[in-house]
Amino acid sequence: MKNLSRLLFAMLLVLGYSNVNAQDENNPWQITLGINAVDAYPSGDGAPFSETIFSKFVDVDNWNVLPSLSTISVSKYVGDGFSFGLAGSLNKIENWGEDANGDAISVGDLSYYGIDGTVKYNFLPGKTIDPYLGIGGGYTWVDEVGAGTLNGTLGLNIWFSDNIGFTLQSAYKHAFEDYLQTHFQHTAGISIKFGGTDTDGDGIYDKDDACPDVAGLAAFNGCPDSDGDGIEDSKDDCPNEAGLAEMNGCPDSDGDGVADKDDNCPTVAGLKALAGCPDADGDGVTDADDACVNTAGPAANKGCPWPDTDGDGVLDKDDKCPDVKGTVANNGCPEVTEEIQKTLNEYAKTILFDTGKSTIKAQSEEVLGDIIGILKEYPTAKFTVEGHTDSVGSEKLNQRLSDSRANSVKEYLINNGIDAFRLSALGYGESKPIDSNKTRAGRANNRRVEINLAK
């Protein structure tokens, strides 16, 4: 019997040590190790519900107790409050019931062995106070004479922690053979629950762990919070940097409401619209890119206001003549007035050519210089150089001569600084006289060059 007690104790150590990290609600297995007391009163005729059956239920004088490890049970929770278990027990019987005078019947020193199976129903599984009822059967030997029994069980588990508790139980064992009396067996012992799986070792078992392969926190159902900011990694946009809940777990060093990861200026408070960068003049250009930090201006001009160099009311960016005052209607360039047009033609009419040729005489260089000066004052205006002749000679010859003279003046102007795209040349021959071709003076007036504003 001593060796059997040691064996039972060794079984407990092995099972308990291998499952020391178990949690109550996750562990289906329970092992209980303790002592038992056998009470054979009343002996009677074995009637299961006789009047005397509970009359001395708590009279410990009738109990046979072996003061050592004497019972071990293992059960498995199968769900919905039910569990199935097996128990083994041993004892030494000195008193077996009472005689007619109420005195204990001494039987010497008989061995007692029992193996029992029980189906239990736990009323409050997983709670600190956990009462249960059970029904089952087994086989009991007294002095090596055995018989089958039908058992009814009432018990209570009191859990001190997630996996350690104290169990009290009373079993009524009704024998099927006359040579084994019906009796009670009371047990008390320490219980350990085990069998749960915790893959990541975080103390939260896999069936309740939302992240079973990664160690985490109970507050997040077993999921981690790597940076310790109170936001689990799966919901944390910056899982490795402690941050704010309103920033989805990311830091905001400058407190401007833009998370550092999205902030182009993380150390200086700025605007959300500018990715966290400041804009002192409010022109929509960040200070770092603003050439005029304290003066509002468009982004196209690096945050500076557009200049109007010539003061004509047309900004330089739109002014085709930014250095010359002009009119808004003419895109900032000066407009050719009728007076200027008249002056040009007065000059042009004095341009002299060699007789019957298109070569310009040297004495015309001065007047051509005056014309060039006027054209440069209107850098965007376009002009047509027109050639005209009198009616002397053939019309075909006069047309050719007027073309040549108009182009000759055009080429001179281009060679002296006037852009070619601003000039065109056209000869009209004798088709547009301005005076009579019947007099010498009239014919002289008709032989002319005009420079007119292109329409």
PDB file of all heavy atoms in Angstrom, residues 8 11 30-33 36 70-75 84-90 112-118 120 137-141 151 153 169 171 173 185 187:
ATOM      1  N   LEU A   8       1.002   6.862  -6.997  1.00  0.00           N
ATOM      2  CA  LEU A   8      -0.020   7.890  -7.254  1.00  0.00           C
ATOM      3  C   LEU A   8       0.573   9.295  -7.163  1.00  0.00           C
ATOM      4  O   LEU A   8       0.270  10.176  -7.959  1.00  0.00           O
ATOM      5  CB  LEU A   8      -1.180   7.733  -6.256  1.00  0.00           C
ATOM      6  CG  LEU A   8      -2.034   6.473  -6.414  1.00  0.00           C
ATOM      7  CD1 LEU A   8      -3.027   6.363  -5.264  1.00  0.00           C
ATOM      8  CD2 LEU A   8      -2.769   6.475  -7.742  1.00  0.00           C
ATOM      9  N   MET A  11       2.575  10.130 -10.295  1.00  0.00           N
ATOM     10  CA  MET A  11       1.712  10.462 -11.431  1.00  0.00           C
ATOM     11  C   MET A  11       1.274  11.917 -11.361  1.00  0.00           C
ATOM     12  O   MET A  11       1.239  12.635 -12.365  1.00  0.00           O
ATOM     13  CB  MET A  11       0.491   9.537 -11.443  1.00  0.00           C
ATOM     14  CG  MET A  11       0.802   8.094 -11.806  1.00  0.00           C
ATOM     15  SD  MET A  11      -0.649   7.037 -11.601  1.00  0.00           S
ATOM     16  CE  MET A  11      -1.749   7.790 -12.797  1.00  0.00           C
ATOM     17  N   GLN A  30      -8.547  17.501 -15.932  1.00  0.00           N
ATOM     18  CA  GLN A  30      -8.433  17.799 -14.511  1.00  0.00           C
ATOM     19  C   GLN A  30      -7.932  16.557 -13.791  1.00  0.00           C
ATOM     20  O   GLN A  30      -8.424  15.452 -14.003  1.00  0.00           O
ATOM     21  CB  GLN A  30      -9.789  18.220 -13.920  1.00  0.00           C
ATOM     22  CG  GLN A  30      -9.737  18.487 -12.417  1.00  0.00           C
ATOM     23  CD  GLN A  30     -11.085  18.931 -11.862  1.00  0.00           C
ATOM     24  OE1 GLN A  30     -11.887  19.508 -12.588  1.00  0.00           O
ATOM     25  NE2 GLN A  30     -11.330  18.662 -10.591  1.00  0.00           N
ATOM     26  N   ILE A  31      -6.946  16.756 -12.952  1.00  0.00           N
ATOM     27  CA  ILE A  31      -6.449  15.669 -12.111  1.00  0.00           C
ATOM     28  C   ILE A  31      -6.589  16.093 -10.666  1.00  0.00           C
ATOM     29  O   ILE A  31      -6.326  17.253 -10.321  1.00  0.00           O
ATOM     30  CB  ILE A  31      -4.985  15.303 -12.453  1.00  0.00           C
ATOM     31  CG1 ILE A  31      -4.526  14.116 -11.609  1.00  0.00           C
ATOM     32  CG2 ILE A  31      -4.060  16.482 -12.264  1.00  0.00           C
ATOM     33  CD1 ILE A  31      -3.192  13.549 -12.046  1.00  0.00           C
ATOM     34  N   THR A  32      -7.068  15.178  -9.824  1.00  0.00           N
ATOM     35  CA  THR A  32      -7.265  15.464  -8.406  1.00  0.00           C
ATOM     36  C   THR A  32      -6.536  14.411  -7.589  1.00  0.00           C
ATOM     37  O   THR A  32      -6.675  13.202  -7.833  1.00  0.00           O
ATOM     38  CB  THR A  32      -8.756  15.457  -8.035  1.00  0.00           C
ATOM     39  OG1 THR A  32      -9.441  16.412  -8.830  1.00  0.00           O
ATOM     40  CG2 THR A  32      -8.958  15.776  -6.557  1.00  0.00           C
ATOM     41  N   LEU A  33      -5.767  14.868  -6.624  1.00  0.00           N
ATOM     42  CA  LEU A  33      -5.009  13.985  -5.752  1.00  0.00           C
ATOM     43  C   LEU A  33      -5.372  14.298  -4.307  1.00  0.00           C
ATOM     44  O   LEU A  33      -5.374  15.467  -3.909  1.00  0.00           O
ATOM     45  CB  LEU A  33      -3.508  14.183  -5.966  1.00  0.00           C
ATOM     46  CG  LEU A  33      -2.604  13.305  -5.106  1.00  0.00           C
ATOM     47  CD1 LEU A  33      -2.605  11.881  -5.621  1.00  0.00           C
ATOM     48  CD2 LEU A  33      -1.196  13.860  -5.075  1.00  0.00           C
ATOM     49  N   ASN A  36      -9.182   9.801   1.001  1.00  0.00           N
ATOM     50  CA  ASN A  36     -10.580   9.410   0.997  1.00  0.00           C
ATOM     51  C   ASN A  36     -10.956   8.808   2.340  1.00  0.00           C
ATOM     52  O   ASN A  36     -10.103   8.296   3.070  1.00  0.00           O
ATOM     53  CB  ASN A  36     -10.874   8.436  -0.138  1.00  0.00           C
ATOM     54  CG  ASN A  36     -10.332   7.051   0.112  1.00  0.00           C
ATOM     55  OD1 ASN A  36     -11.015   6.190   0.676  1.00  0.00           O
ATOM     56  ND2 ASN A  36      -9.083   6.812  -0.336  1.00  0.00           N
ATOM     57  N   SER A  70      -4.249   8.760  -1.042  1.00  0.00           N
ATOM     58  CA  SER A  70      -5.019   7.529  -1.173  1.00  0.00           C
ATOM     59  C   SER A  70      -6.052   7.568  -2.295  1.00  0.00           C
ATOM     60  O   SER A  70      -6.795   6.604  -2.468  1.00  0.00           O
ATOM     61  CB  SER A  70      -5.735   7.227   0.158  1.00  0.00           C
ATOM     62  OG  SER A  70      -6.606   8.296   0.510  1.00  0.00           O
ATOM     63  N   THR A  71      -6.117   8.644  -3.040  1.00  0.00           N
ATOM     64  CA  THR A  71      -7.045   8.676  -4.172  1.00  0.00           C
ATOM     65  C   THR A  71      -6.492   9.582  -5.270  1.00  0.00           C
ATOM     66  O   THR A  71      -5.827  10.595  -4.973  1.00  0.00           O
ATOM     67  CB  THR A  71      -8.444   9.170  -3.750  1.00  0.00           C
ATOM     68  OG1 THR A  71      -9.326   9.085  -4.866  1.00  0.00           O
ATOM     69  CG2 THR A  71      -8.418  10.605  -3.264  1.00  0.00           C
ATOM     70  N   ILE A  72      -6.732   9.188  -6.486  1.00  0.00           N
ATOM     71  CA  ILE A  72      -6.367  10.014  -7.634  1.00  0.00           C
ATOM     72  C   ILE A  72      -7.444   9.835  -8.689  1.00  0.00           C
ATOM     73  O   ILE A  72      -7.965   8.740  -8.889  1.00  0.00           O
ATOM     74  CB  ILE A  72      -4.980   9.637  -8.208  1.00  0.00           C
ATOM     75  CG1 ILE A  72      -4.592  10.602  -9.330  1.00  0.00           C
ATOM     76  CG2 ILE A  72      -4.954   8.198  -8.684  1.00  0.00           C
ATOM     77  CD1 ILE A  72      -3.148  10.464  -9.764  1.00  0.00           C
ATOM     78  N   SER A  73      -7.820  10.984  -9.324  1.00  0.00           N
ATOM     79  CA  SER A  73      -8.828  10.924 -10.387  1.00  0.00           C
ATOM     80  C   SER A  73      -8.390  11.809 -11.542  1.00  0.00           C
ATOM     81  O   SER A  73      -7.710  12.819 -11.343  1.00  0.00           O
ATOM     82  CB  SER A  73     -10.202  11.385  -9.874  1.00  0.00           C
ATOM     83  OG  SER A  73     -10.184  12.751  -9.527  1.00  0.00           O
ATOM     84  N   VAL A  74      -8.767  11.376 -12.723  1.00  0.00           N
ATOM     85  CA  VAL A  74      -8.487  12.152 -13.947  1.00  0.00           C
ATOM     86  C   VAL A  74      -9.793  12.269 -14.715  1.00  0.00           C
ATOM     87  O   VAL A  74     -10.493  11.263 -14.917  1.00  0.00           O
ATOM     88  CB  VAL A  74      -7.426  11.462 -14.821  1.00  0.00           C
ATOM     89  CG1 VAL A  74      -7.205  12.263 -16.099  1.00  0.00           C
ATOM     90  CG2 VAL A  74      -6.126  11.297 -14.058  1.00  0.00           C
ATOM     91  N   SER A  75     -10.147  13.489 -15.134  1.00  0.00           N
ATOM     92  CA  SER A  75     -11.386  13.687 -15.895  1.00  0.00           C
ATOM     93  C   SER A  75     -11.122  14.609 -17.076  1.00  0.00           C
ATOM     94  O   SER A  75     -10.177  15.399 -17.061  1.00  0.00           O
ATOM     95  CB  SER A  75     -12.483  14.276 -15.009  1.00  0.00           C
ATOM     96  OG  SER A  75     -12.121  15.560 -14.533  1.00  0.00           O
ATOM     97  N   PHE A  84     -16.157  13.543 -18.166  1.00  0.00           N
ATOM     98  CA  PHE A  84     -16.084  12.107 -17.861  1.00  0.00           C
ATOM     99  C   PHE A  84     -14.753  11.832 -17.199  1.00  0.00           C
ATOM    100  O   PHE A  84     -13.714  12.324 -17.639  1.00  0.00           O
ATOM    101  CB  PHE A  84     -16.209  11.270 -19.138  1.00  0.00           C
ATOM    102  CG  PHE A  84     -16.027   9.802 -18.904  1.00  0.00           C
ATOM    103  CD1 PHE A  84     -17.050   9.050 -18.353  1.00  0.00           C
ATOM    104  CD2 PHE A  84     -14.826   9.183 -19.211  1.00  0.00           C
ATOM    105  CE1 PHE A  84     -16.880   7.691 -18.124  1.00  0.00           C
ATOM    106  CE2 PHE A  84     -14.654   7.821 -18.993  1.00  0.00           C
ATOM    107  CZ  PHE A  84     -15.684   7.072 -18.440  1.00  0.00           C
ATOM    108  N   GLY A  85     -14.804  11.040 -16.098  1.00  0.00           N
ATOM    109  CA  GLY A  85     -13.563  10.798 -15.385  1.00  0.00           C
ATOM    110  C   GLY A  85     -13.440   9.398 -14.843  1.00  0.00           C
ATOM    111  O   GLY A  85     -14.415   8.650 -14.727  1.00  0.00           O
ATOM    112  N   LEU A  86     -12.201   9.063 -14.514  1.00  0.00           N
ATOM    113  CA  LEU A  86     -11.872   7.801 -13.866  1.00  0.00           C
ATOM    114  C   LEU A  86     -11.128   8.104 -12.579  1.00  0.00           C
ATOM    115  O   LEU A  86     -10.319   9.046 -12.528  1.00  0.00           O
ATOM    116  CB  LEU A  86     -10.996   6.936 -14.770  1.00  0.00           C
ATOM    117  CG  LEU A  86     -11.646   6.361 -16.032  1.00  0.00           C
ATOM    118  CD1 LEU A  86     -10.590   5.680 -16.895  1.00  0.00           C
ATOM    119  CD2 LEU A  86     -12.766   5.378 -15.672  1.00  0.00           C
ATOM    120  N   ALA A  87     -11.404   7.286 -11.529  1.00  0.00           N
ATOM    121  CA  ALA A  87     -10.752   7.503 -10.240  1.00  0.00           C
ATOM    122  C   ALA A  87     -10.278   6.171  -9.680  1.00  0.00           C
ATOM    123  O   ALA A  87     -10.934   5.136  -9.846  1.00  0.00           O
ATOM    124  CB  ALA A  87     -11.706   8.183  -9.275  1.00  0.00           C
ATOM    125  N   GLY A  88      -9.172   6.231  -9.007  1.00  0.00           N
ATOM    126  CA  GLY A  88      -8.658   5.073  -8.293  1.00  0.00           C
ATOM    127  C   GLY A  88      -8.431   5.436  -6.844  1.00  0.00           C
ATOM    128  O   GLY A  88      -7.968   6.539  -6.541  1.00  0.00           O
ATOM    129  N   SER A  89      -8.763   4.541  -5.927  1.00  0.00           N
ATOM    130  CA  SER A  89      -8.603   4.842  -4.511  1.00  0.00           C
ATOM    131  C   SER A  89      -8.195   3.591  -3.748  1.00  0.00           C
ATOM    132  O   SER A  89      -8.423   2.455  -4.195  1.00  0.00           O
ATOM    133  CB  SER A  89      -9.899   5.409  -3.928  1.00  0.00           C
ATOM    134  OG  SER A  89     -10.961   4.468  -4.059  1.00  0.00           O
ATOM    135  N   LEU A  90      -7.583   3.805  -2.588  1.00  0.00           N
ATOM    136  CA  LEU A  90      -7.238   2.714  -1.695  1.00  0.00           C
ATOM    137  C   LEU A  90      -7.463   3.198  -0.263  1.00  0.00           C
ATOM    138  O   LEU A  90      -7.466   4.404   0.004  1.00  0.00           O
ATOM    139  CB  LEU A  90      -5.804   2.250  -1.928  1.00  0.00           C
ATOM    140  CG  LEU A  90      -4.674   3.292  -1.840  1.00  0.00           C
ATOM    141  CD1 LEU A  90      -4.184   3.418  -0.412  1.00  0.00           C
ATOM    142  CD2 LEU A  90      -3.521   2.868  -2.745  1.00  0.00           C
ATOM    143  N   TYR A 112      -8.792  -1.945   1.066  1.00  0.00           N
ATOM    144  CA  TYR A 112      -9.923  -1.424   0.272  1.00  0.00           C
ATOM    145  C   TYR A 112      -9.352  -0.823  -1.002  1.00  0.00           C
ATOM    146  O   TYR A 112      -8.447   0.011  -0.971  1.00  0.00           O
ATOM    147  CB  TYR A 112     -10.678  -0.368   1.080  1.00  0.00           C
ATOM    148  CG  TYR A 112     -11.833   0.290   0.339  1.00  0.00           C
ATOM    149  CD1 TYR A 112     -13.141  -0.122   0.542  1.00  0.00           C
ATOM    150  CD2 TYR A 112     -11.613   1.340  -0.551  1.00  0.00           C
ATOM    151  CE1 TYR A 112     -14.202   0.483  -0.114  1.00  0.00           C
ATOM    152  CE2 TYR A 112     -12.653   1.947  -1.225  1.00  0.00           C
ATOM    153  CZ  TYR A 112     -13.949   1.518  -1.008  1.00  0.00           C
ATOM    154  OH  TYR A 112     -14.995   2.130  -1.676  1.00  0.00           O
ATOM    155  N   TYR A 113      -9.905  -1.267  -2.159  1.00  0.00           N
ATOM    156  CA  TYR A 113      -9.494  -0.718  -3.443  1.00  0.00           C
ATOM    157  C   TYR A 113     -10.750  -0.399  -4.249  1.00  0.00           C
ATOM    158  O   TYR A 113     -11.723  -1.169  -4.206  1.00  0.00           O
ATOM    159  CB  TYR A 113      -8.639  -1.708  -4.251  1.00  0.00           C
ATOM    160  CG  TYR A 113      -7.376  -2.133  -3.558  1.00  0.00           C
ATOM    161  CD1 TYR A 113      -7.338  -3.333  -2.850  1.00  0.00           C
ATOM    162  CD2 TYR A 113      -6.237  -1.353  -3.632  1.00  0.00           C
ATOM    163  CE1 TYR A 113      -6.187  -3.742  -2.214  1.00  0.00           C
ATOM    164  CE2 TYR A 113      -5.074  -1.758  -3.005  1.00  0.00           C
ATOM    165  CZ  TYR A 113      -5.043  -2.949  -2.290  1.00  0.00           C
ATOM    166  OH  TYR A 113      -3.903  -3.348  -1.664  1.00  0.00           O
ATOM    167  N   GLY A 114     -10.721   0.703  -4.975  1.00  0.00           N
ATOM    168  CA  GLY A 114     -11.850   1.046  -5.837  1.00  0.00           C
ATOM    169  C   GLY A 114     -11.411   1.681  -7.147  1.00  0.00           C
ATOM    170  O   GLY A 114     -10.467   2.480  -7.182  1.00  0.00           O
ATOM    171  N   ILE A 115     -12.073   1.284  -8.213  1.00  0.00           N
ATOM    172  CA  ILE A 115     -11.895   1.929  -9.530  1.00  0.00           C
ATOM    173  C   ILE A 115     -13.279   2.339  -9.995  1.00  0.00           C
ATOM    174  O   ILE A 115     -14.179   1.490 -10.108  1.00  0.00           O
ATOM    175  CB  ILE A 115     -11.248   0.979 -10.550  1.00  0.00           C
ATOM    176  CG1 ILE A 115      -9.841   0.582 -10.095  1.00  0.00           C
ATOM    177  CG2 ILE A 115     -11.185   1.656 -11.924  1.00  0.00           C
ATOM    178  CD1 ILE A 115      -9.163  -0.416 -11.015  1.00  0.00           C
ATOM    179  N   ASP A 116     -13.471   3.626 -10.275  1.00  0.00           N
ATOM    180  CA  ASP A 116     -14.801   4.145 -10.596  1.00  0.00           C
ATOM    181  C   ASP A 116     -14.745   5.088 -11.794  1.00  0.00           C
ATOM    182  O   ASP A 116     -13.790   5.861 -11.952  1.00  0.00           O
ATOM    183  CB  ASP A 116     -15.371   4.906  -9.396  1.00  0.00           C
ATOM    184  CG  ASP A 116     -15.485   4.020  -8.167  1.00  0.00           C
ATOM    185  OD1 ASP A 116     -16.363   3.151  -8.163  1.00  0.00           O
ATOM    186  OD2 ASP A 116     -14.687   4.226  -7.209  1.00  0.00           O
ATOM    187  N   GLY A 117     -15.801   4.989 -12.595  1.00  0.00           N
ATOM    188  CA  GLY A 117     -15.972   5.930 -13.700  1.00  0.00           C
ATOM    189  C   GLY A 117     -17.203   6.792 -13.447  1.00  0.00           C
ATOM    190  O   GLY A 117     -18.232   6.290 -12.970  1.00  0.00           O
ATOM    191  N   THR A 118     -17.106   8.064 -13.749  1.00  0.00           N
ATOM    192  CA  THR A 118     -18.189   8.995 -13.422  1.00  0.00           C
ATOM    193  C   THR A 118     -18.416   9.983 -14.556  1.00  0.00           C
ATOM    194  O   THR A 118     -17.450  10.528 -15.121  1.00  0.00           O
ATOM    195  CB  THR A 118     -17.858   9.792 -12.140  1.00  0.00           C
ATOM    196  OG1 THR A 118     -17.549   8.876 -11.092  1.00  0.00           O
ATOM    197  CG2 THR A 118     -19.027  10.679 -11.732  1.00  0.00           C
ATOM    198  N   LYS A 120     -19.930  13.596 -14.950  1.00  0.00           N
ATOM    199  CA  LYS A 120     -20.262  14.712 -14.063  1.00  0.00           C
ATOM    200  C   LYS A 120     -20.884  15.854 -14.869  1.00  0.00           C
ATOM    201  O   LYS A 120     -20.550  16.073 -16.037  1.00  0.00           O
ATOM    202  CB  LYS A 120     -19.009  15.229 -13.358  1.00  0.00           C
ATOM    203  CG  LYS A 120     -18.365  14.236 -12.406  1.00  0.00           C
ATOM    204  CD  LYS A 120     -17.272  14.905 -11.583  1.00  0.00           C
ATOM    205  CE  LYS A 120     -16.129  15.401 -12.450  1.00  0.00           C
ATOM    206  NZ  LYS A 120     -15.023  15.943 -11.631  1.00  0.00           N
ATOM    207  N   GLY A 137     -20.357   4.284 -12.207  1.00  0.00           N
ATOM    208  CA  GLY A 137     -20.225   2.960 -11.607  1.00  0.00           C
ATOM    209  C   GLY A 137     -18.783   2.548 -11.534  1.00  0.00           C
ATOM    210  O   GLY A 137     -17.896   3.215 -12.070  1.00  0.00           O
ATOM    211  N   GLY A 138     -18.539   1.426 -10.835  1.00  0.00           N
ATOM    212  CA  GLY A 138     -17.170   0.970 -10.715  1.00  0.00           C
ATOM    213  C   GLY A 138     -17.095  -0.403 -10.101  1.00  0.00           C
ATOM    214  O   GLY A 138     -18.075  -1.153 -10.045  1.00  0.00           O
ATOM    215  N   TYR A 139     -15.940  -0.688  -9.578  1.00  0.00           N
ATOM    216  CA  TYR A 139     -15.708  -1.981  -8.942  1.00  0.00           C
ATOM    217  C   TYR A 139     -14.893  -1.731  -7.686  1.00  0.00           C
ATOM    218  O   TYR A 139     -13.889  -0.986  -7.722  1.00  0.00           O
ATOM    219  CB  TYR A 139     -14.966  -2.922  -9.885  1.00  0.00           C
ATOM    220  CG  TYR A 139     -15.248  -4.378  -9.616  1.00  0.00           C
ATOM    221  CD1 TYR A 139     -16.337  -5.014 -10.207  1.00  0.00           C
ATOM    222  CD2 TYR A 139     -14.426  -5.112  -8.760  1.00  0.00           C
ATOM    223  CE1 TYR A 139     -16.600  -6.357  -9.960  1.00  0.00           C
ATOM    224  CE2 TYR A 139     -14.678  -6.447  -8.512  1.00  0.00           C
ATOM    225  CZ  TYR A 139     -15.768  -7.076  -9.113  1.00  0.00           C
ATOM    226  OH  TYR A 139     -16.030  -8.402  -8.858  1.00  0.00           O
ATOM    227  N   THR A 140     -15.342  -2.340  -6.597  1.00  0.00           N
ATOM    228  CA  THR A 140     -14.697  -2.136  -5.307  1.00  0.00           C
ATOM    229  C   THR A 140     -14.307  -3.483  -4.699  1.00  0.00           C
ATOM    230  O   THR A 140     -15.089  -4.440  -4.732  1.00  0.00           O
ATOM    231  CB  THR A 140     -15.639  -1.385  -4.349  1.00  0.00           C
ATOM    232  OG1 THR A 140     -15.964  -0.117  -4.907  1.00  0.00           O
ATOM    233  CG2 THR A 140     -14.989  -1.187  -2.992  1.00  0.00           C
ATOM    234  N   TRP A 141     -13.085  -3.520  -4.139  1.00  0.00           N
ATOM    235  CA  TRP A 141     -12.596  -4.715  -3.445  1.00  0.00           C
ATOM    236  C   TRP A 141     -12.399  -4.404  -1.966  1.00  0.00           C
ATOM    237  O   TRP A 141     -11.780  -3.386  -1.613  1.00  0.00           O
ATOM    238  CB  TRP A 141     -11.246  -5.166  -3.988  1.00  0.00           C
ATOM    239  CG  TRP A 141     -11.265  -5.684  -5.387  1.00  0.00           C
ATOM    240  CD1 TRP A 141     -11.383  -6.969  -5.796  1.00  0.00           C
ATOM    241  CD2 TRP A 141     -11.095  -4.897  -6.574  1.00  0.00           C
ATOM    242  NE1 TRP A 141     -11.323  -7.070  -7.153  1.00  0.00           N
ATOM    243  CE2 TRP A 141     -11.151  -5.778  -7.676  1.00  0.00           C
ATOM    244  CE3 TRP A 141     -10.951  -3.528  -6.830  1.00  0.00           C
ATOM    245  CZ2 TRP A 141     -11.037  -5.370  -8.985  1.00  0.00           C
ATOM    246  CZ3 TRP A 141     -10.838  -3.090  -8.113  1.00  0.00           C
ATOM    247  CH2 TRP A 141     -10.882  -4.002  -9.199  1.00  0.00           C
ATOM    248  N   ASN A 151     -22.879   4.349  -8.601  1.00  0.00           N
ATOM    249  CA  ASN A 151     -22.447   5.474  -7.778  1.00  0.00           C
ATOM    250  C   ASN A 151     -23.235   6.747  -8.094  1.00  0.00           C
ATOM    251  O   ASN A 151     -23.493   7.058  -9.263  1.00  0.00           O
ATOM    252  CB  ASN A 151     -20.961   5.766  -8.001  1.00  0.00           C
ATOM    253  CG  ASN A 151     -20.094   4.546  -7.792  1.00  0.00           C
ATOM    254  OD1 ASN A 151     -20.474   3.637  -7.044  1.00  0.00           O
ATOM    255  ND2 ASN A 151     -18.933   4.526  -8.449  1.00  0.00           N
ATOM    256  N   THR A 153     -22.826  10.900  -7.133  1.00  0.00           N
ATOM    257  CA  THR A 153     -21.762  11.770  -6.623  1.00  0.00           C
ATOM    258  C   THR A 153     -22.261  13.203  -6.474  1.00  0.00           C
ATOM    259  O   THR A 153     -22.960  13.739  -7.350  1.00  0.00           O
ATOM    260  CB  THR A 153     -20.547  11.753  -7.566  1.00  0.00           C
ATOM    261  OG1 THR A 153     -20.094  10.420  -7.705  1.00  0.00           O
ATOM    262  CG2 THR A 153     -19.422  12.634  -7.048  1.00  0.00           C
ATOM    263  N   GLN A 169     -15.761  15.893  -2.303  1.00  0.00           N
ATOM    264  CA  GLN A 169     -16.733  15.041  -2.987  1.00  0.00           C
ATOM    265  C   GLN A 169     -17.248  13.956  -2.047  1.00  0.00           C
ATOM    266  O   GLN A 169     -16.508  13.426  -1.221  1.00  0.00           O
ATOM    267  CB  GLN A 169     -16.081  14.394  -4.221  1.00  0.00           C
ATOM    268  CG  GLN A 169     -16.987  13.424  -4.971  1.00  0.00           C
ATOM    269  CD  GLN A 169     -16.299  12.832  -6.179  1.00  0.00           C
ATOM    270  OE1 GLN A 169     -15.985  13.533  -7.126  1.00  0.00           O
ATOM    271  NE2 GLN A 169     -16.051  11.521  -6.125  1.00  0.00           N
ATOM    272  N   ALA A 171     -19.493  10.329  -2.475  1.00  0.00           N
ATOM    273  CA  ALA A 171     -20.072   9.386  -3.431  1.00  0.00           C
ATOM    274  C   ALA A 171     -20.851   8.309  -2.671  1.00  0.00           C
ATOM    275  O   ALA A 171     -20.349   7.725  -1.698  1.00  0.00           O
ATOM    276  CB  ALA A 171     -18.979   8.749  -4.271  1.00  0.00           C
ATOM    277  N   LYS A 173     -22.130   4.653  -2.942  1.00  0.00           N
ATOM    278  CA  LYS A 173     -21.783   3.498  -3.764  1.00  0.00           C
ATOM    279  C   LYS A 173     -22.687   2.331  -3.396  1.00  0.00           C
ATOM    280  O   LYS A 173     -22.578   1.741  -2.305  1.00  0.00           O
ATOM    281  CB  LYS A 173     -20.303   3.136  -3.567  1.00  0.00           C
ATOM    282  CG  LYS A 173     -19.370   4.313  -3.857  1.00  0.00           C
ATOM    283  CD  LYS A 173     -17.907   3.994  -3.638  1.00  0.00           C
ATOM    284  CE  LYS A 173     -17.346   3.198  -4.793  1.00  0.00           C
ATOM    285  NZ  LYS A 173     -15.871   3.057  -4.697  1.00  0.00           N
ATOM    286  N   GLN A 185     -18.257   7.058   0.147  1.00  0.00           N
ATOM    287  CA  GLN A 185     -16.819   7.348   0.080  1.00  0.00           C
ATOM    288  C   GLN A 185     -16.662   8.852  -0.108  1.00  0.00           C
ATOM    289  O   GLN A 185     -17.148   9.438  -1.082  1.00  0.00           O
ATOM    290  CB  GLN A 185     -16.157   6.591  -1.083  1.00  0.00           C
ATOM    291  CG  GLN A 185     -14.631   6.771  -1.081  1.00  0.00           C
ATOM    292  CD  GLN A 185     -13.964   5.955  -2.177  1.00  0.00           C
ATOM    293  OE1 GLN A 185     -14.546   5.701  -3.229  1.00  0.00           O
ATOM    294  NE2 GLN A 185     -12.737   5.518  -1.924  1.00  0.00           N
ATOM    295  N   THR A 187     -14.105  12.158  -0.433  1.00  0.00           N
ATOM    296  CA  THR A 187     -12.733  12.481  -0.843  1.00  0.00           C
ATOM    297  C   THR A 187     -12.499  13.981  -0.728  1.00  0.00           C
ATOM    298  O   THR A 187     -13.428  14.802  -0.855  1.00  0.00           O
ATOM    299  CB  THR A 187     -12.454  12.052  -2.306  1.00  0.00           C
ATOM    300  OG1 THR A 187     -13.361  12.722  -3.182  1.00  0.00           O
ATOM    301  CG2 THR A 187     -12.611  10.558  -2.466  1.00  0.00           C
TER     302      THR A 187
END
